[in-house]
Amino acid sequence: MLVRMASNQQTRPGIGALAKDTASGRIGVVMGEVGARVQIRPVGGGVEWDAMPDNVVAPTAREELSARLAIRNGNSRGGL
């Protein structure tokens, strides 16, 4: 049986995926869940922050491209 989601439903990004915390506007990588919180690490590395699950969504294509470009720029400055 094929189950379809309503067009207005969104799934939360999984572990390892880019995600946007709508409460803070920050984009990072989902590292896991602890209790009722989603842990997200900044794209360039650093300390994780906790986000409420309802505030975690997939970034737009533009936001994702910007985040990936920031990673590339950071790597090129570091000699990688």
Side-chain angles (χ1 to χ4, degrees):
M1 180 172 144
L2 180 63
V3 178
R4 294 182 186 218
M5 292 175 52
S7 61
N8 62 347
Q9 286 183 323
Q10 296 180 350
T11 59
R12 190 169 62 233
I15 294 174
L18 281 177
K20 179 177 181 179
D21 177 0
T22 58
S24 68
R26 296 167 63 185
I27 295 178
V29 179
V30 176
M31 301 307 293
E33 293 186 28
V34 174
R37 306 275 179 155
V38 177
Q39 292 188 313
I40 303 174
R41 177 173 289 158
V43 174
V47 179
E48 298 170 358
W49 76 91
D50 290 338
M52 297 302 294
D54 291 343
N55 294 336
V56 179
V57 298
T60 65
R62 180 180 292 255
E63 291 168 333
E64 182 174 348
L65 179 60
S66 179
R68 292 187 186 283
L69 184 57
I71 294 169
R72 281 282 184 131
N73 287 339
N75 287 345
S76 67
R77 281 187 229 116
L80 297 176

